[in-house]
Amino acid sequence: MTEQQARQEMVQLGASFFQRGYATGSAGNLSMLLEDGNLLATPTGSCLGELDPERLSKVTPQGEWISGDKPSKEIAFHRALYLNDENCKAVVHLHSHYLTALSCLEGLDAQNCIRPFTPYVVMRVGDVPVVPYYKPGDQRLAEDLSQLAGRYRAFLLANHGSVVVGKSLREAADNTEELEETARLIFTLGDRAIRYLSDDEVAELRSR
Ligand SMILES: [Zn+2]
């Protein structure tokens, strides 16, 4: 994919998230690894619904700002993932409604906050660990993600939102949507008794 195609894809996926209510205001940010080894990212304060391909931020993996508008502060934790996970080619971070609601619950399992009850999260994403709450911009967010990088494809940031990595921006976006829909199901099911997948059923999916 050329850099121009990458810029177009980021603008299109941002608009799609915004139009369908996955992102509101200037919340959320996207990034992807370019063929030249640098990162393309959404600028600070930008609305995902109104991205301009020529103004997207370009930074080195070490965080040096090369061109475009100033990158989001949250690019620090994106970089932690690229630097510590060789398969990470894109990152989607959203404050989407149901995943953020889930991130505010007490008593989540920090190793895996989504106990499987449909096959798709198991097949596409796997376990989703929870990163503790830190105030926006706190570098411990990046430090914690550095520790978890490479072992997981998605993370829930407590009282904040989701972070999903992918081999492409499209894959990270698709898996973010899968997680958001799963979180929505959790709230739809509410207090009802859920038939969770058994350990054997989960193991069978994981072995695929
Ligand atoms: Zn955020």
mmCIF file of all heavy atoms in Angstrom, residues 130-169:
data_model
loop_
_atom_site.group_PDB
_atom_site.id
_atom_site.type_symbol
_atom_site.label_atom_id
_atom_site.label_comp_id
_atom_site.label_asym_id
_atom_site.label_seq_id
_atom_site.Cartn_x
_atom_site.Cartn_y
_atom_site.Cartn_z
ATOM 1 N N VAL A 130 -7.146 -5.903 30.954
ATOM 2 C CA VAL A 130 -7.522 -4.543 31.363
ATOM 3 C C VAL A 130 -6.283 -3.802 31.876
ATOM 4 O O VAL A 130 -5.556 -4.313 32.732
ATOM 5 C CB VAL A 130 -8.587 -4.580 32.482
ATOM 6 C CG1 VAL A 130 -9.010 -3.158 32.864
ATOM 7 C CG2 VAL A 130 -9.795 -5.408 32.055
ATOM 8 N N VAL A 131 -6.051 -2.610 31.332
ATOM 9 C CA VAL A 131 -4.979 -1.735 31.817
ATOM 10 C C VAL A 131 -5.604 -0.821 32.872
ATOM 11 O O VAL A 131 -6.664 -0.236 32.620
ATOM 12 C CB VAL A 131 -4.397 -0.902 30.647
ATOM 13 C CG1 VAL A 131 -3.367 0.099 31.146
ATOM 14 C CG2 VAL A 131 -3.797 -1.830 29.597
ATOM 15 N N PRO A 132 -4.984 -0.681 34.058
ATOM 16 C CA PRO A 132 -5.593 0.145 35.114
ATOM 17 C C PRO A 132 -5.817 1.590 34.675
ATOM 18 O O PRO A 132 -5.166 2.067 33.733
ATOM 19 C CB PRO A 132 -4.566 0.097 36.253
ATOM 20 C CG PRO A 132 -3.627 -0.991 35.917
ATOM 21 C CD PRO A 132 -3.677 -1.216 34.446
ATOM 22 N N TYR A 133 -6.684 2.288 35.371
ATOM 23 C CA TYR A 133 -6.944 3.695 35.061
ATOM 24 C C TYR A 133 -5.716 4.569 35.352
ATOM 25 O O TYR A 133 -5.105 4.455 36.418
ATOM 26 C CB TYR A 133 -8.122 4.233 35.895
ATOM 27 C CG TYR A 133 -8.256 5.735 35.735
ATOM 28 C CD1 TYR A 133 -8.797 6.268 34.575
ATOM 29 C CD2 TYR A 133 -7.767 6.611 36.700
ATOM 30 C CE1 TYR A 133 -8.872 7.638 34.383
ATOM 31 C CE2 TYR A 133 -7.841 7.991 36.521
ATOM 32 C CZ TYR A 133 -8.387 8.494 35.360
ATOM 33 O OH TYR A 133 -8.448 9.839 35.172
ATOM 34 N N TYR A 134 -5.380 5.412 34.397
ATOM 35 C CA TYR A 134 -4.386 6.478 34.588
ATOM 36 C C TYR A 134 -4.966 7.734 33.974
ATOM 37 O O TYR A 134 -5.705 7.661 32.996
ATOM 38 C CB TYR A 134 -3.068 6.147 33.867
ATOM 39 C CG TYR A 134 -2.385 4.886 34.356
ATOM 40 C CD1 TYR A 134 -2.243 3.798 33.498
ATOM 41 C CD2 TYR A 134 -1.891 4.792 35.653
ATOM 42 C CE1 TYR A 134 -1.614 2.638 33.929
ATOM 43 C CE2 TYR A 134 -1.269 3.629 36.089
ATOM 44 C CZ TYR A 134 -1.134 2.567 35.223
ATOM 45 O OH TYR A 134 -0.518 1.419 35.646
ATOM 46 N N LYS A 135 -4.593 8.895 34.494
ATOM 47 C CA LYS A 135 -5.133 10.130 33.911
ATOM 48 C C LYS A 135 -4.596 10.303 32.485
ATOM 49 O O LYS A 135 -3.502 9.813 32.174
ATOM 50 C CB LYS A 135 -4.811 11.327 34.797
ATOM 51 C CG LYS A 135 -3.373 11.781 34.771
ATOM 52 C CD LYS A 135 -3.263 13.095 35.522
ATOM 53 C CE LYS A 135 -1.835 13.471 35.839
ATOM 54 N NZ LYS A 135 -0.863 13.414 34.766
ATOM 55 N N PRO A 136 -5.379 11.004 31.618
ATOM 56 C CA PRO A 136 -4.951 11.168 30.226
ATOM 57 C C PRO A 136 -3.520 11.718 30.135
ATOM 58 O O PRO A 136 -3.161 12.644 30.854
ATOM 59 C CB PRO A 136 -5.960 12.173 29.665
ATOM 60 C CG PRO A 136 -7.186 11.946 30.486
ATOM 61 C CD PRO A 136 -6.695 11.603 31.871
ATOM 62 N N GLY A 137 -2.730 11.096 29.270
ATOM 63 C CA GLY A 137 -1.360 11.550 29.064
ATOM 64 C C GLY A 137 -0.344 10.907 30.003
ATOM 65 O O GLY A 137 0.858 11.076 29.816
ATOM 66 N N ASP A 138 -0.817 10.168 31.007
ATOM 67 C CA ASP A 138 0.105 9.513 31.949
ATOM 68 C C ASP A 138 0.942 8.470 31.195
ATOM 69 O O ASP A 138 0.395 7.626 30.478
ATOM 70 C CB ASP A 138 -0.710 8.835 33.055
ATOM 71 C CG ASP A 138 0.160 8.373 34.223
ATOM 72 O OD1 ASP A 138 1.208 7.750 33.976
ATOM 73 O OD2 ASP A 138 -0.238 8.629 35.368
ATOM 74 N N GLN A 139 2.269 8.546 31.361
ATOM 75 C CA GLN A 139 3.127 7.633 30.594
ATOM 76 C C GLN A 139 3.016 6.175 31.044
ATOM 77 O O GLN A 139 3.459 5.265 30.336
ATOM 78 C CB GLN A 139 4.580 8.090 30.651
ATOM 79 C CG GLN A 139 5.191 8.056 32.043
ATOM 80 C CD GLN A 139 6.671 8.430 32.028
ATOM 81 O OE1 GLN A 139 7.181 8.923 31.032
ATOM 82 N NE2 GLN A 139 7.347 8.184 33.137
ATOM 83 N N ARG A 140 2.400 5.946 32.215
ATOM 84 C CA ARG A 140 2.257 4.562 32.661
ATOM 85 C C ARG A 140 1.343 3.751 31.743
ATOM 86 O O ARG A 140 1.438 2.530 31.660
ATOM 87 C CB ARG A 140 1.734 4.516 34.102
ATOM 88 C CG ARG A 140 2.811 4.875 35.113
ATOM 89 C CD ARG A 140 2.268 4.930 36.509
ATOM 90 N NE ARG A 140 1.346 6.049 36.662
ATOM 91 C CZ ARG A 140 0.692 6.337 37.790
ATOM 92 N NH1 ARG A 140 0.853 5.579 38.853
ATOM 93 N NH2 ARG A 140 -0.119 7.375 37.850
ATOM 94 N N LEU A 141 0.451 4.448 31.016
ATOM 95 C CA LEU A 141 -0.399 3.771 30.042
ATOM 96 C C LEU A 141 0.488 3.084 28.990
ATOM 97 O O LEU A 141 0.308 1.909 28.657
ATOM 98 C CB LEU A 141 -1.301 4.821 29.397
ATOM 99 C CG LEU A 141 -2.593 4.401 28.745
ATOM 100 C CD1 LEU A 141 -3.399 3.476 29.636
ATOM 101 C CD2 LEU A 141 -3.405 5.653 28.416
ATOM 102 N N ALA A 142 1.458 3.839 28.463
ATOM 103 C CA ALA A 142 2.377 3.281 27.466
ATOM 104 C C ALA A 142 3.251 2.195 28.086
ATOM 105 O O ALA A 142 3.520 1.166 27.456
ATOM 106 C CB ALA A 142 3.252 4.397 26.886
ATOM 107 N N GLU A 143 3.670 2.405 29.334
ATOM 108 C CA GLU A 143 4.526 1.407 29.988
ATOM 109 C C GLU A 143 3.775 0.085 30.165
ATOM 110 O O GLU A 143 4.314 -0.995 29.889
ATOM 111 C CB GLU A 143 5.001 1.933 31.350
ATOM 112 C CG GLU A 143 6.021 3.068 31.220
ATOM 113 C CD GLU A 143 6.259 3.810 32.541
ATOM 114 O OE1 GLU A 143 5.737 3.375 33.590
ATOM 115 O OE2 GLU A 143 6.946 4.830 32.487
ATOM 116 N N ASP A 144 2.533 0.174 30.617
ATOM 117 C CA ASP A 144 1.751 -1.057 30.812
ATOM 118 C C ASP A 144 1.503 -1.767 29.478
ATOM 119 O O ASP A 144 1.605 -2.991 29.381
ATOM 120 C CB ASP A 144 0.413 -0.746 31.490
ATOM 121 C CG ASP A 144 0.565 -0.523 32.987
ATOM 122 O OD1 ASP A 144 1.710 -0.351 33.449
ATOM 123 O OD2 ASP A 144 -0.459 -0.511 33.697
ATOM 124 N N LEU A 145 1.175 -0.985 28.444
ATOM 125 C CA LEU A 145 0.927 -1.600 27.134
ATOM 126 C C LEU A 145 2.204 -2.225 26.570
ATOM 127 O O LEU A 145 2.151 -3.252 25.903
ATOM 128 C CB LEU A 145 0.309 -0.587 26.164
ATOM 129 C CG LEU A 145 -1.176 -0.311 26.427
ATOM 130 C CD1 LEU A 145 -1.659 0.897 25.621
ATOM 131 C CD2 LEU A 145 -2.047 -1.531 26.100
ATOM 132 N N SER A 146 3.365 -1.623 26.860
ATOM 133 C CA SER A 146 4.642 -2.217 26.422
ATOM 134 C C SER A 146 4.792 -3.625 26.989
ATOM 135 O O SER A 146 5.269 -4.535 26.310
ATOM 136 C CB SER A 146 5.835 -1.400 26.919
ATOM 137 O OG SER A 146 5.784 -0.108 26.448
ATOM 138 N N GLN A 147 4.387 -3.779 28.246
ATOM 139 C CA GLN A 147 4.509 -5.075 28.915
ATOM 140 C C GLN A 147 3.572 -6.118 28.308
ATOM 141 O O GLN A 147 3.902 -7.303 28.242
ATOM 142 C CB GLN A 147 4.185 -4.939 30.411
ATOM 143 C CG GLN A 147 5.117 -4.013 31.176
ATOM 144 C CD GLN A 147 6.550 -4.526 31.169
ATOM 145 O OE1 GLN A 147 6.789 -5.716 31.368
ATOM 146 N NE2 GLN A 147 7.480 -3.638 30.901
ATOM 147 N N LEU A 148 2.398 -5.674 27.885
ATOM 148 C CA LEU A 148 1.375 -6.610 27.376
ATOM 149 C C LEU A 148 1.508 -6.859 25.866
ATOM 150 O O LEU A 148 1.013 -7.866 25.352
ATOM 151 C CB LEU A 148 -0.027 -6.048 27.656
ATOM 152 C CG LEU A 148 -0.411 -5.901 29.138
ATOM 153 C CD1 LEU A 148 -1.663 -5.023 29.284
ATOM 154 C CD2 LEU A 148 -0.654 -7.273 29.768
ATOM 155 N N ALA A 149 2.202 -5.945 25.163
ATOM 156 C CA ALA A 149 2.292 -5.996 23.700
ATOM 157 C C ALA A 149 2.840 -7.334 23.218
ATOM 158 O O ALA A 149 3.733 -7.911 23.842
ATOM 159 C CB ALA A 149 3.176 -4.862 23.191
ATOM 160 N N GLY A 150 2.307 -7.807 22.092
ATOM 161 C CA GLY A 150 2.794 -9.045 21.490
ATOM 162 C C GLY A 150 2.038 -10.268 21.975
ATOM 163 O O GLY A 150 2.057 -11.309 21.318
ATOM 164 N N ARG A 151 1.380 -10.158 23.127
ATOM 165 C CA ARG A 151 0.650 -11.311 23.664
ATOM 166 C C ARG A 151 -0.854 -11.184 23.459
ATOM 167 O O ARG A 151 -1.583 -12.153 23.645
ATOM 168 C CB ARG A 151 0.961 -11.461 25.167
ATOM 169 C CG ARG A 151 2.393 -11.914 25.424
ATOM 170 C CD ARG A 151 2.640 -12.139 26.893
ATOM 171 N NE ARG A 151 2.763 -10.890 27.630
ATOM 172 C CZ ARG A 151 2.259 -10.679 28.838
ATOM 173 N NH1 ARG A 151 1.560 -11.629 29.441
ATOM 174 N NH2 ARG A 151 2.442 -9.525 29.450
ATOM 175 N N TYR A 152 -1.325 -9.991 23.115
ATOM 176 C CA TYR A 152 -2.769 -9.757 22.974
ATOM 177 C C TYR A 152 -3.031 -8.911 21.737
ATOM 178 O O TYR A 152 -2.157 -8.172 21.281
ATOM 179 C CB TYR A 152 -3.310 -9.015 24.204
ATOM 180 C CG TYR A 152 -3.096 -9.760 25.493
ATOM 181 C CD1 TYR A 152 -2.007 -9.461 26.314
ATOM 182 C CD2 TYR A 152 -3.968 -10.763 25.890
ATOM 183 C CE1 TYR A 152 -1.789 -10.149 27.493
ATOM 184 C CE2 TYR A 152 -3.763 -11.460 27.070
ATOM 185 C CZ TYR A 152 -2.679 -11.150 27.869
ATOM 186 O OH TYR A 152 -2.470 -11.834 29.035
ATOM 187 N N ARG A 153 -4.273 -9.018 21.238
ATOM 188 C CA ARG A 153 -4.659 -8.213 20.080
ATOM 189 C C ARG A 153 -5.554 -7.046 20.464
ATOM 190 O O ARG A 153 -5.866 -6.186 19.634
ATOM 191 C CB ARG A 153 -5.372 -9.089 19.048
ATOM 192 C CG ARG A 153 -4.397 -9.902 18.225
ATOM 193 C CD ARG A 153 -5.121 -10.825 17.277
ATOM 194 N NE ARG A 153 -5.069 -12.181 17.784
ATOM 195 C CZ ARG A 153 -5.616 -13.214 17.187
ATOM 196 N NH1 ARG A 153 -6.280 -13.057 16.069
ATOM 197 N NH2 ARG A 153 -5.514 -14.420 17.695
ATOM 198 N N ALA A 154 -6.024 -7.053 21.710
ATOM 199 C CA ALA A 154 -6.900 -5.955 22.154
ATOM 200 C C ALA A 154 -6.741 -5.751 23.650
ATOM 201 O O ALA A 154 -6.382 -6.687 24.382
ATOM 202 C CB ALA A 154 -8.346 -6.282 21.819
ATOM 203 N N PHE A 155 -7.015 -4.530 24.087
ATOM 204 C CA PHE A 155 -6.841 -4.129 25.488
ATOM 205 C C PHE A 155 -8.001 -3.205 25.853
ATOM 206 O O PHE A 155 -8.467 -2.425 25.015
ATOM 207 C CB PHE A 155 -5.526 -3.345 25.661
ATOM 208 C CG PHE A 155 -4.354 -3.997 24.982
ATOM 209 C CD1 PHE A 155 -4.094 -3.759 23.629
ATOM 210 C CD2 PHE A 155 -3.529 -4.881 25.668
ATOM 211 C CE1 PHE A 155 -3.033 -4.372 22.978
ATOM 212 C CE2 PHE A 155 -2.461 -5.505 25.030
ATOM 213 C CZ PHE A 155 -2.214 -5.247 23.679
ATOM 214 N N LEU A 156 -8.433 -3.303 27.104
ATOM 215 C CA LEU A 156 -9.420 -2.346 27.592
ATOM 216 C C LEU A 156 -8.708 -1.434 28.583
ATOM 217 O O LEU A 156 -8.042 -1.927 29.511
ATOM 218 C CB LEU A 156 -10.588 -3.093 28.265
ATOM 219 C CG LEU A 156 -11.866 -2.294 28.459
ATOM 220 C CD1 LEU A 156 -12.492 -1.929 27.103
ATOM 221 C CD2 LEU A 156 -12.873 -3.070 29.304
ATOM 222 N N LEU A 157 -8.813 -0.124 28.374
ATOM 223 C CA LEU A 157 -8.212 0.849 29.287
ATOM 224 C C LEU A 157 -9.290 1.220 30.292
ATOM 225 O O LEU A 157 -10.344 1.747 29.897
ATOM 226 C CB LEU A 157 -7.741 2.097 28.536
ATOM 227 C CG LEU A 157 -6.886 1.874 27.274
ATOM 228 C CD1 LEU A 157 -6.465 3.222 26.696
ATOM 229 C CD2 LEU A 157 -5.674 1.007 27.584
ATOM 230 N N ALA A 158 -9.073 0.944 31.567
ATOM 231 C CA ALA A 158 -10.106 1.173 32.576
ATOM 232 C C ALA A 158 -10.584 2.621 32.563
ATOM 233 O O ALA A 158 -9.773 3.550 32.453
ATOM 234 C CB ALA A 158 -9.566 0.801 33.955
ATOM 235 N N ASN A 159 -11.894 2.810 32.644
ATOM 236 C CA ASN A 159 -12.528 4.140 32.675
ATOM 237 C C ASN A 159 -12.102 5.006 31.489
ATOM 238 O O ASN A 159 -11.952 6.223 31.611
ATOM 239 C CB ASN A 159 -12.182 4.873 33.987
ATOM 240 C CG ASN A 159 -12.480 4.021 35.201
ATOM 241 O OD1 ASN A 159 -11.623 3.238 35.641
ATOM 242 N ND2 ASN A 159 -13.671 4.105 35.726
ATOM 243 N N HIS A 160 -11.904 4.373 30.318
ATOM 244 C CA HIS A 160 -11.366 5.126 29.183
ATOM 245 C C HIS A 160 -11.885 4.591 27.834
ATOM 246 O O HIS A 160 -12.643 5.287 27.165
ATOM 247 C CB HIS A 160 -9.828 5.081 29.271
ATOM 248 C CG HIS A 160 -9.112 5.874 28.246
ATOM 249 N ND1 HIS A 160 -7.785 6.215 28.382
ATOM 250 C CD2 HIS A 160 -9.498 6.377 27.049
ATOM 251 C CE1 HIS A 160 -7.399 6.909 27.321
ATOM 252 N NE2 HIS A 160 -8.427 7.013 26.500
ATOM 253 N N GLY A 161 -11.501 3.379 27.443
ATOM 254 C CA GLY A 161 -11.918 2.877 26.130
ATOM 255 C C GLY A 161 -11.102 1.668 25.711
ATOM 256 O O GLY A 161 -10.507 0.997 26.554
ATOM 257 N N SER A 162 -11.062 1.428 24.386
ATOM 258 C CA SER A 162 -10.398 0.230 23.877
ATOM 259 C C SER A 162 -9.167 0.583 23.057
ATOM 260 O O SER A 162 -9.055 1.683 22.515
ATOM 261 C CB SER A 162 -11.368 -0.549 22.984
ATOM 262 O OG SER A 162 -11.730 0.254 21.875
ATOM 263 N N VAL A 163 -8.251 -0.388 22.965
ATOM 264 C CA VAL A 163 -7.096 -0.296 22.065
ATOM 265 C C VAL A 163 -6.996 -1.637 21.348
ATOM 266 O O VAL A 163 -6.942 -2.681 22.008
ATOM 267 C CB VAL A 163 -5.777 -0.043 22.833
ATOM 268 C CG1 VAL A 163 -4.597 -0.028 21.869
ATOM 269 C CG2 VAL A 163 -5.846 1.261 23.610
ATOM 270 N N VAL A 164 -6.999 -1.607 20.012
ATOM 271 C CA VAL A 164 -6.946 -2.845 19.246
ATOM 272 C C VAL A 164 -5.823 -2.737 18.218
ATOM 273 O O VAL A 164 -5.710 -1.725 17.524
ATOM 274 C CB VAL A 164 -8.295 -3.114 18.531
ATOM 275 C CG1 VAL A 164 -8.226 -4.385 17.703
ATOM 276 C CG2 VAL A 164 -9.432 -3.203 19.555
ATOM 277 N N VAL A 165 -4.982 -3.771 18.147
ATOM 278 C CA VAL A 165 -3.907 -3.779 17.155
ATOM 279 C C VAL A 165 -4.306 -4.711 16.003
ATOM 280 O O VAL A 165 -5.184 -5.558 16.157
ATOM 281 C CB VAL A 165 -2.555 -4.238 17.769
ATOM 282 C CG1 VAL A 165 -2.162 -3.352 18.929
ATOM 283 C CG2 VAL A 165 -2.603 -5.690 18.199
ATOM 284 N N GLY A 166 -3.655 -4.550 14.851
ATOM 285 C CA GLY A 166 -3.962 -5.417 13.720
ATOM 286 C C GLY A 166 -2.808 -5.471 12.746
ATOM 287 O O GLY A 166 -1.876 -4.664 12.821
ATOM 288 N N LYS A 167 -2.909 -6.447 11.808
ATOM 289 C CA LYS A 167 -1.908 -6.545 10.745
ATOM 290 C C LYS A 167 -2.179 -5.475 9.695
ATOM 291 O O LYS A 167 -1.356 -5.210 8.823
ATOM 292 C CB LYS A 167 -1.956 -7.927 10.099
ATOM 293 C CG LYS A 167 -1.443 -9.038 11.005
ATOM 294 C CD LYS A 167 -1.235 -10.299 10.186
ATOM 295 C CE LYS A 167 -1.698 -11.570 10.838
ATOM 296 N NZ LYS A 167 -3.064 -11.638 11.313
ATOM 297 N N SER A 168 -3.364 -4.889 9.751
ATOM 298 C CA SER A 168 -3.732 -3.779 8.871
ATOM 299 C C SER A 168 -4.712 -2.907 9.643
ATOM 300 O O SER A 168 -5.282 -3.355 10.652
ATOM 301 C CB SER A 168 -4.404 -4.296 7.599
ATOM 302 O OG SER A 168 -5.642 -4.907 7.947
ATOM 303 N N LEU A 169 -4.907 -1.688 9.154
ATOM 304 C CA LEU A 169 -5.865 -0.797 9.818
ATOM 305 C C LEU A 169 -7.269 -1.385 9.702
ATOM 306 O O LEU A 169 -8.069 -1.306 10.631
ATOM 307 C CB LEU A 169 -5.795 0.598 9.177
ATOM 308 C CG LEU A 169 -6.532 1.707 9.927
ATOM 309 C CD1 LEU A 169 -5.999 1.884 11.342
ATOM 310 C CD2 LEU A 169 -6.430 3.023 9.156
#
